[in-house]
Amino acid sequence: MKTIKSKFDTFRHQTNIVIYGTNTASGRLFDLVLLGIIVLSVIIVMLETVKGFDKKYHHELIILEWIITIFFTLEYILRIISLKKPLKYIFSFYGIIDLIATLPMYLSLFYFGTSILTIVRALRLLRLFKILKHPQFSSQSNHLKEALIASRGKILIFIYFMLISSIVIGSLMYVVEGKEGGFTSIPISIYWTIVTLTTVGYGDISPITPLGQGIASLVMIMGYGIIAVPTGIVTAEFANNNRKKTNAKNSNPCPNCGTEGHEYNAKYCYHCGADLK
Amino acid sequence: MKTIKSKFDTFRHQTNIVIYGTNTASGRLFDLVLLGIIVLSVIIVMLETVKGFDKKYHHELIILEWIITIFFTLEYILRIISLKKPLKYIFSFYGIIDLIATLPMYLSLFYFGTSILTIVRALRLLRLFKILKHPQFSSQSNHLKEALIASRGKILIFIYFMLISSIVIGSLMYVVEGKEGGFTSIPISIYWTIVTLTTVGYGDISPITPLGQGIASLVMIMGYGIIAVPTGIVTAEFANNNRKKTNAKNSNPCPNCGTEGHEYNAKYCYHCGADLK
Amino acid sequence: MKTIKSKFDTFRHQTNIVIYGTNTASGRLFDLVLLGIIVLSVIIVMLETVKGFDKKYHHELIILEWIITIFFTLEYILRIISLKKPLKYIFSFYGIIDLIATLPMYLSLFYFGTSILTIVRALRLLRLFKILKHPQFSSQSNHLKEALIASRGKILIFIYFMLISSIVIGSLMYVVEGKEGGFTSIPISIYWTIVTLTTVGYGDISPITPLGQGIASLVMIMGYGIIAVPTGIVTAEFANNNRKKTNAKNSNPCPNCGTEGHEYNAKYCYHCGADLK
Amino acid sequence: MKTIKSKFDTFRHQTNIVIYGTNTASGRLFDLVLLGIIVLSVIIVMLETVKGFDKKYHHELIILEWIITIFFTLEYILRIISLKKPLKYIFSFYGIIDLIATLPMYLSLFYFGTSILTIVRALRLLRLFKILKHPQFSSQSNHLKEALIASRGKILIFIYFMLISSIVIGSLMYVVEGKEGGFTSIPISIYWTIVTLTTVGYGDISPITPLGQGIASLVMIMGYGIIAVPTGIVTAEFANNNRKKTNAKNSNPCPNCGTEGHEYNAKYCYHCGADLK
């Protein structure tokens, strides 16, 4: 009995290294193969929706999908087995994505048409960020995250303002333009306002009365100008982060208490008052 | 008589706390309920303009609107009663919005079609900013406001330049393109120029002659490039504000040697080593 | 004889004050009236091109235009007379614009259709910048100008790169897409590339083959991304200017030699070595 | 024999100066003529694809193209001859472009339709950067390059995120919109998502169901907002570079006390007053 358990432990340990490890050759290889299969699976689901292609290769696509689904299922089971405390993984962000990446295919046996949901596998592409653990890379990634988190509050205020503006402008355009230009209801007019404010401009709905075109011009200039706001917010945070880093670099820690972050030309530690040189 | 007056005073005081206060539980609850009703009222007015929906639920929508209108009317009256000097509120920005949020519905009894104006209720959504009085949040909001106010002058010069450019380019395109491409008058051509300069690009009007397309290309590159100007202005102000704040935090001069620019958790002067507190 | 000359001198002097001055009440009034008439003249030329309006009020518009033309002609003559050395004005930027703002109307007596050229009067709107001589305003304007001049070199390199990219991508799309999607010649395809790179996107020409749509997607992402380049260039210049100003503020001039721009915590003048405190 | 070799050496040396040199008058002239001919060759290939023009001047265009091709061929041979170690040039970026700029025309003798590939000559326009060796200009160019290289990592992460988002959103829209709005397959829906996210907005495909328009609105706001990310990244790098340069100029340490960060025209140390030399 003991040997079986210890064999299983060894197997678990080795599987863990291959699946979760990124330092060994086999661990790296597994990650690359996995990423390749994820990309392949996403491409297959895409091609299934292209009429001409699907007609010709329907059979082959289905078989490939089942192979990938079984591979993903095995991988999911191994991921759980190889952990001592698998619950944390099961309920983590990646764990849930890994599960729902396999389910739709099995569901499609019972409910027709659910196989399209396998496209959620695209989310597995986020694993790339787990694979790329190069320190320089993840510092870049953190840098991005920090700047976005720091500017979150201002961005929310900005979006709230934009939504209120869209409602008011949309209603105004509904009253001014009438139904000929395509402004058939207030929600549609609000949709048009967002299309215009964000400078997307499909042109499926566009004003035809002089007054409507005048208001539209103002909306465009407004949209063109206020893009400066989110840009300004995020840029200032990036610049801030950069500055902090640069300043941090200039420091050499206090020889007495180890505090960092001294001014460039400091002579005494600001924390303990010890002479810095 | 005295008791009635004192009862009224108590009522006024309590109403005031509920309506204007944000610290008590009832005050917070009132704000949230109010915001919910405002959102509801905006959605109702929107749905009324959607043909299919309005046909089916016309009756219910009208009844809901009247309930909300009466609620808003009562709220407006209570707001006035609960203040000792109500005039300031009546003529304030929010006071006027609160009034015109109720009027259109009453007007619609006499003039057909004015109920659409109730959409101005969307402006009441701005109350959210009064409700959110969390210090961190309002500091963010102020930060935004300051940066925009500081860049006001430059933005105005920029818009003025854009308008003159639009008039000149629009007239040029009117002469070059003629009526086939849709450039039927100078105002329409100016409208097209703004659509193009702001990179919205509906495509309802677009040049068809080679020369017109050449000029249009220049206008696009110009529009693509000069978006840098408002963005640069606002961003520089944001960065400036950030810097000032960082600097402001760090500076209380050393009591011994007067050196400024200490870290904001510094205990000793980095220049002379004197105790900072 | 002498009195006539001295009368003329007085007249010239007073006219000069009214026309070129901005400090006296009459000078300010003249500027405002002039600006109003320029705006009016631009609006009239615009309205003339609007078919429905022109039919109804053709006569009135023509009369108004002649009145304004005669006013501008008189103003131009007075501007020349009231200067002692008028040549400098005549060949200046504003002088040439003032002249060509009056000519087209006289030309229209001989050549039909040239009255449309009176739209160049829109350029006279630039005079607003001469009228607004408020110091804070012109410092803002200079700030803008400096940043744009400083970033000129990089912007030119950027535009050159964009042009080469447009030629190469446009030719590629011409080969890939063929004539069905509207890519009928390389110049048209280059036009499409610029429309796409600048994110204008009219939609009059759009790719229909999968390969063409794939390349188009790359072009869009490229256009979306590289807008960061001009924005970054200009913003960095703005921030630079702001910083320089802020640093300049922190200085108190040397008590010995008056040099400004000392470091925050300088003890000795960097120019003459004198003790700063 | 010897004289022939030495004559050839002299010829090679002189050719080298003319072709590769930029300091002599003949070297400069050659560069300008070459650039002019490159521009001309690009224009000719463009005009050949314009139906109306090609019909009229087909003969002339072909003759001009052959003249230019022969000129480019001679230039290419001279470039190789005039170098002592020509292999480095042959396999360099410019060397390969120079070769493939001549080949298509010769190929067109055997394979019909390949003459269109001569448009790769547009890449020869990049030679302008070799010609412009003015120090201020190339410092600007380097400045641009450095900022872009420094922000490469973050930009890649950003594009990767955008691609995953496009796949997920595109699939969602495919499910939601169905085929009426033009969302006929997932790849097409992803194409639409990129068109919308980048705010290009052709309008050839646009959502028609309320839910689809709602999702589209979110995508637009997202696209409008996240343009801040690449802009912020690049701008922060530009600002960083600017700051570093400014700092670099100003710092040579005091020979007496070693203090850094002096103004760049400082004569005396601001810390100890010593002469800075």
Side-chain angles (χ1 to χ4, degrees):
Chain A
M1 271 311 263
K2 209 181 171 183
T3 44
I4 288 173
K5 205 184 168 265
S6 97
K7 258 186 186 168
F8 177 72
D9 272 358
T10 315
F11 169 73
R12 191 159 76 179
H13 187 67
Q14 279 172 346
T15 316
N16 190 301
I17 286 171
V18 172
I19 292 185
Y20 291 100
T22 53
N23 300 322
T24 61
S26 55
R28 281 232 147 235
L29 186 68
F30 174 80
D31 284 340
L32 284 177
V33 169
L34 181 58
L35 202 68
I37 292 174
I38 294 172
V39 169
L40 183 71
S41 75
V42 169
I43 291 172
I44 287 171
V45 181
M46 280 186 199
L47 288 178
E48 270 179 61
T49 67
V50 181
K51 279 290 108 56
F53 195 90
D54 187 49
K55 236 175 205 161
K56 241 172 153 178
Y57 302 102
H58 186 69
H59 214 65
E60 289 85 343
L61 287 173
I62 293 288
I63 290 170
L64 261 172
E65 264 220 79
W66 273 111
I67 293 172
I68 289 168
T69 303
I70 288 163
F71 175 88
F72 280 177
T73 312
L74 281 176
E75 181 217 339
Y76 184 67
I77 292 168
L78 286 175
R79 271 184 193 277
I80 291 173
I81 287 176
S82 68
L83 289 169
K84 279 179 190 160
K85 293 172 182 173
L87 281 179
K88 204 184 148 193
Y89 161 71
I90 290 173
F91 293 105
S92 72
F93 176 68
Y94 285 112
I96 291 165
I97 285 176
D98 289 354
L99 180 63
I100 61 178
T102 61
L103 284 187
M105 207 55 198
Y106 295 112
L107 276 175
S108 74
L109 291 176
F110 308 103
Y111 303 97
F112 181 75
T114 55
S115 70
I116 189 73
L117 299 174
T118 46
I119 197 70
V120 293
R121 284 173 184 169
L123 289 175
R124 293 202 76 189
L125 289 170
L126 290 170
R127 272 199 178 277
L128 185 68
F129 292 103
K130 284 226 152 177
I131 295 170
L132 293 165
K133 274 191 174 156
H134 190 281
Q136 197 239 331
F137 182 86
S138 55
S139 108
Q140 297 274 32
S141 190
N142 283 337
H143 195 165
L144 262 175
K145 236 187 279 174
E146 276 165 36
L148 290 179
I149 287 170
S151 46
R152 198 184 33 186
K154 285 189 209 109
I155 294 280
L156 279 179
I157 300 176
F158 174 72
I159 288 178
Y160 189 71
F161 256 120
M162 264 187 75
L163 279 181
I164 296 179
S165 307
S166 297
I167 293 173
V168 173
I169 295 169
S171 312
L172 190 64
M173 287 301 283
Y174 171 74
V175 174
V176 164
E177 270 289 316
K179 273 137 213 184
E180 262 174 85
F183 297 79
T184 49
S185 69
I186 290 184
I188 286 278
S189 302
I190 292 173
Y191 168 69
W192 171 86
T193 311
I194 293 174
V195 169
T196 302
L197 258 184
T198 57
T199 76
V200 170
Y202 286 133
D204 50 350
I205 309 162
S206 63
I208 48 172
T209 66
L211 184 56
Q213 292 179 334
I215 297 172
S217 300
L218 292 180
V219 175
M220 286 171 220
I221 292 173
M222 188 180 150
Y224 186 71
I226 61 178
I227 202 172
V229 178
T231 308
I233 294 166
V234 174
T235 305
E237 287 306 331
F238 275 120
N240 221 13
N241 273 13
N242 274 5
R243 200 138 25 87
K244 270 186 213 156
K245 249 182 219 173
T246 317
N247 289 349
K249 269 182 198 159
N250 295 347
S251 65
N252 35 354
C254 169
N256 181 34
C257 70
T259 307
E260 290 189 345
H262 295 290
E263 288 288 322
Y264 231 165
N265 47 1
K267 286 179 184 165
Y268 301 98
C269 174
Y270 67 79
H271 186 69
C272 65
D275 199 317
L276 281 176
K277 169 58 49 71
Chain B
M1 272 309 266
K2 209 181 171 184
T3 44
I4 287 174
K5 208 189 164 264
S6 97
K7 259 186 185 168
F8 177 72
D9 272 359
T10 316
F11 170 73
R12 190 159 75 178
H13 186 66
Q14 280 171 345
T15 316
N16 190 302
I17 287 171
V18 171
I19 291 184
Y20 291 100
T22 53
N23 299 322
T24 61
S26 57
R28 281 229 149 239
L29 185 69
F30 175 80
D31 283 341
L32 284 178
V33 169
L34 181 59
L35 202 68
I37 291 174
I38 294 172
V39 169
L40 183 71
S41 76
V42 169
I43 290 171
I44 287 170
V45 181
M46 280 186 199
L47 289 178
E48 271 179 60
T49 68
V50 181
K51 277 292 108 54
F53 195 91
D54 187 49
K55 237 176 204 160
K56 240 172 154 179
Y57 301 102
H58 186 68
H59 213 64
E60 288 85 343
L61 288 173
I62 293 288
I63 289 171
L64 262 173
E65 263 221 80
W66 273 111
I67 292 172
I68 289 167
T69 303
I70 288 163
F71 175 87
F72 280 177
T73 312
L74 280 176
E75 182 216 339
Y76 185 67
I77 292 168
L78 286 176
R79 272 185 192 277
I80 291 174
I81 287 176
S82 68
L83 289 169
K84 281 181 189 158
K85 293 173 183 172
L87 281 180
K88 204 185 149 192
Y89 161 72
I90 290 173
F91 293 105
S92 73
F93 176 68
Y94 286 112
I96 290 165
I97 285 176
D98 289 355
L99 181 62
I100 61 179
T102 61
L103 284 187
M105 207 55 198
Y106 295 111
L107 277 175
S108 74
L109 291 176
F110 309 104
Y111 304 97
F112 181 76
T114 55
S115 71
I116 189 72
L117 299 174
T118 46
I119 197 69
V120 292
R121 283 173 183 170
L123 288 175
R124 293 203 75 189
L125 289 170
L126 290 170
R127 272 200 178 275
L128 185 68
F129 292 102
K130 284 227 152 176
I131 295 169
L132 293 165
K133 273 189 173 158
H134 190 283
Q136 196 239 332
F137 181 86
S138 56
S139 109
Q140 297 275 31
S141 190
N142 283 337
H143 195 164
L144 263 176
K145 235 187 279 174
E146 276 165 36
L148 290 178
I149 287 171
S151 47
R152 199 184 33 188
K154 285 188 209 107
I155 294 281
L156 279 179
I157 299 176
F158 174 72
I159 288 178
Y160 189 71
F161 256 119
M162 264 188 76
L163 279 181
I164 295 179
S165 307
S166 297
I167 293 173
V168 173
I169 296 169
S171 312
L172 189 64
M173 287 300 283
Y174 171 74
V175 174
V176 164
E177 270 289 316
K179 273 138 215 185
E180 262 175 87
F183 297 78
T184 49
S185 70
I186 290 185
I188 286 277
S189 301
I190 292 172
Y191 168 69
W192 170 86
T193 311
I194 293 174
V195 169
T196 302
L197 259 183
T198 57
T199 77
V200 170
Y202 286 132
D204 50 349
I205 309 161
S206 62
I208 48 173
T209 65
L211 183 56
Q213 292 179 334
I215 298 172
S217 299
L218 292 180
V219 174
M220 286 171 220
I221 292 173
M222 188 180 150
Y224 186 71
I226 61 178
I227 202 173
V229 177
T231 308
I233 295 166
V234 174
T235 305
E237 287 306 331
F238 274 120
N240 222 14
N241 273 13
N242 273 6
R243 202 136 25 85
K244 269 186 214 157
K245 246 183 220 172
T246 319
N247 290 347
K249 269 183 197 162
N250 300 358
S251 73
N252 37 349
C254 169
N256 181 36
C257 70
T259 308
E260 291 189 344
H262 296 289
E263 288 290 322
Y264 92 119
N265 51 352
K267 286 179 184 166
Y268 299 98
C269 174
Y270 69 78
H271 186 68
C272 67
D275 199 318
L276 280 176
K277 170 56 50 72
Chain C
M1 268 313 262
K2 209 182 171 183
T3 45
I4 288 173
K5 202 182 170 269
S6 98
K7 258 185 188 171
F8 177 71
D9 272 359
T10 315
F11 169 73
R12 190 159 75 179
H13 187 66
Q14 280 172 344
T15 315
N16 189 301
I17 287 171
V18 171
I19 291 183
Y20 292 100
T22 52
N23 299 323
T24 61
S26 56
R28 283 230 148 237
L29 186 68
F30 174 81
D31 284 341
L32 285 177
V33 169
L34 181 59
L35 202 68
I37 291 174
I38 294 171
V39 170
L40 184 71
S41 77
V42 169
I43 291 171
I44 287 170
V45 181
M46 280 187 199
L47 288 179
E48 270 178 61
T49 68
V50 181
K51 279 290 108 58
F53 194 90
D54 187 49
K55 238 175 206 163
K56 240 173 152 177
Y57 300 103
H58 186 70
H59 213 65
E60 288 85 343
L61 287 173
I62 294 288
I63 290 170
L64 261 173
E65 264 222 78
W66 273 111
I67 292 172
I68 289 168
T69 303
I70 289 163
F71 175 87
F72 281 176
T73 312
L74 280 177
E75 182 216 339
Y76 184 68
I77 293 168
L78 285 176
R79 271 185 192 276
I80 291 173
I81 288 176
S82 68
L83 290 168
K84 279 181 190 159
K85 293 172 183 174
L87 281 179
K88 202 184 150 193
Y89 161 71
I90 290 173
F91 293 105
S92 73
F93 175 69
Y94 285 112
I96 290 164
I97 285 176
D98 289 355
L99 180 62
I100 61 177
T102 60
L103 284 186
M105 207 56 197
Y106 295 113
L107 277 175
S108 74
L109 291 175
F110 308 103
Y111 304 97
F112 181 74
T114 55
S115 71
I116 190 71
L117 299 174
T118 45
I119 197 69
V120 293
R121 284 173 184 169
L123 289 174
R124 294 202 73 189
L125 288 170
L126 291 170
R127 272 199 178 275
L128 184 68
F129 292 102
K130 285 228 151 175
I131 294 169
L132 292 165
K133 273 190 173 157
H134 190 282
Q136 197 239 330
F137 181 87
S138 55
S139 109
Q140 298 274 32
S141 190
N142 282 338
H143 195 165
L144 262 176
K145 235 186 279 175
E146 276 165 36
L148 290 178
I149 287 170
S151 46
R152 198 184 33 188
K154 286 189 209 108
I155 294 280
L156 278 179
I157 300 175
F158 174 72
I159 288 178
Y160 189 72
F161 256 120
M162 264 187 76
L163 279 181
I164 296 178
S165 307
S166 298
I167 294 173
V168 173
I169 295 169
S171 311
L172 190 64
M173 287 300 283
Y174 171 74
V175 174
V176 165
E177 270 290 316
K179 273 137 213 185
E180 261 174 88
F183 297 78
T184 49
S185 70
I186 289 184
I188 286 278
S189 300
I190 292 173
Y191 168 70
W192 171 86
T193 311
I194 294 174
V195 168
T196 301
L197 258 184
T198 57
T199 77
V200 170
Y202 285 132
D204 50 349
I205 309 161
S206 62
I208 49 172
T209 65
L211 183 57
Q213 292 179 335
I215 298 172
S217 299
L218 291 180
V219 175
M220 285 171 221
I221 291 173
M222 187 180 150
Y224 186 71
I226 61 178
I227 202 172
V229 177
T231 308
I233 294 165
V234 174
T235 305
E237 287 306 331
F238 274 121
N240 222 13
N241 273 12
N242 274 6
R243 199 137 27 87
K244 272 185 210 157
K245 251 183 217 174
T246 318
N247 289 350
K249 270 183 199 161
N250 294 350
S251 68
N252 36 353
C254 169
N256 182 34
C257 70
T259 308
E260 292 190 343
H262 295 289
E263 289 287 322
Y264 232 163
N265 47 2
K267 286 181 184 165
Y268 301 98
C269 174
Y270 68 78
H271 186 68
C272 67
D275 199 317
L276 281 176
K277 170 57 49 73
Chain D
M1 269 312 262
K2 208 182 173 184
T3 44
I4 288 172
K5 202 182 170 271
S6 96
K7 257 187 187 169
F8 177 71
D9 272 358
T10 316
F11 169 72
R12 190 159 75 178
H13 186 66
Q14 280 172 346
T15 316
N16 190 301
I17 287 172
V18 172
I19 292 184
Y20 292 100
T22 52
N23 299 322
T24 61
S26 56
R28 282 230 147 238
L29 185 67
F30 174 80
D31 284 341
L32 285 177
V33 169
L34 181 59
L35 202 67
I37 291 174
I38 294 171
V39 169
L40 184 70
S41 76
V42 169
I43 291 172
I44 287 170
V45 182
M46 280 186 199
L47 289 178
E48 269 178 62
T49 68
V50 181
K51 279 290 109 56
F53 195 90
D54 187 50
K55 236 174 206 164
K56 240 170 151 180
Y57 300 103
H58 187 69
H59 214 65
E60 288 85 343
L61 288 173
I62 294 287
I63 290 170
L64 262 173
E65 264 221 78
W66 272 111
I67 292 173
I68 289 168
T69 303
I70 289 163
F71 175 88
F72 281 176
T73 312
L74 281 176
E75 182 216 338
Y76 184 68
I77 293 168
L78 286 176
R79 272 184 191 277
I80 291 173
I81 288 176
S82 67
L83 289 168
K84 281 180 189 157
K85 293 172 183 173
L87 281 179
K88 204 184 147 192
Y89 161 72
I90 290 174
F91 293 105
S92 73
F93 175 69
Y94 285 113
I96 291 164
I97 285 176
D98 289 354
L99 180 63
I100 61 179
T102 60
L103 284 186
M105 207 56 199
Y106 295 112
L107 277 175
S108 74
L109 292 176
F110 309 103
Y111 305 97
F112 181 74
T114 56
S115 71
I116 189 72
L117 299 174
T118 45
I119 197 69
V120 294
R121 284 173 184 169
L123 289 175
R124 293 202 75 188
L125 289 170
L126 290 170
R127 273 199 177 277
L128 184 67
F129 292 103
K130 284 226 153 175
I131 295 169
L132 292 165
K133 273 189 173 158
H134 190 280
Q136 196 240 329
F137 181 86
S138 56
S139 108
Q140 297 274 32
S141 190
N142 283 338
H143 195 165
L144 262 175
K145 236 187 277 175
E146 276 165 36
L148 290 178
I149 287 171
S151 46
R152 198 184 33 187
K154 287 190 208 106
I155 294 280
L156 279 180
I157 299 175
F158 174 72
I159 288 178
Y160 189 71
F161 257 119
M162 264 187 76
L163 280 181
I164 296 179
S165 307
S166 297
I167 294 173
V168 173
I169 296 168
S171 311
L172 189 64
M173 287 300 283
Y174 171 73
V175 174
V176 165
E177 270 289 317
K179 274 137 213 184
E180 261 174 86
F183 296 80
T184 50
S185 70
I186 290 184
I188 286 278
S189 300
I190 292 173
Y191 168 68
W192 171 86
T193 311
I194 293 174
V195 169
T196 302
L197 258 185
T198 57
T199 76
V200 170
Y202 286 132
D204 49 350
I205 308 161
S206 63
I208 48 172
T209 65
L211 183 56
Q213 292 179 335
I215 298 172
S217 299
L218 291 180
V219 174
M220 285 171 219
I221 291 173
M222 188 179 150
Y224 186 71
I226 60 178
I227 202 171
V229 177
T231 309
I233 295 166
V234 174
T235 305
E237 287 306 331
F238 274 120
N240 222 14
N241 272 12
N242 274 4
R243 202 138 24 88
K244 269 187 214 156
K245 245 181 221 173
T246 319
N247 290 348
K249 269 183 195 161
N250 300 359
S251 72
N252 37 350
C254 170
N256 181 36
C257 71
T259 309
E260 291 188 345
H262 296 291
E263 287 291 321
Y264 93 120
N265 51 353
K267 286 180 184 164
Y268 299 98
C269 174
Y270 68 78
H271 186 69
C272 66
D275 199 319
L276 283 174
K277 170 69 40 87

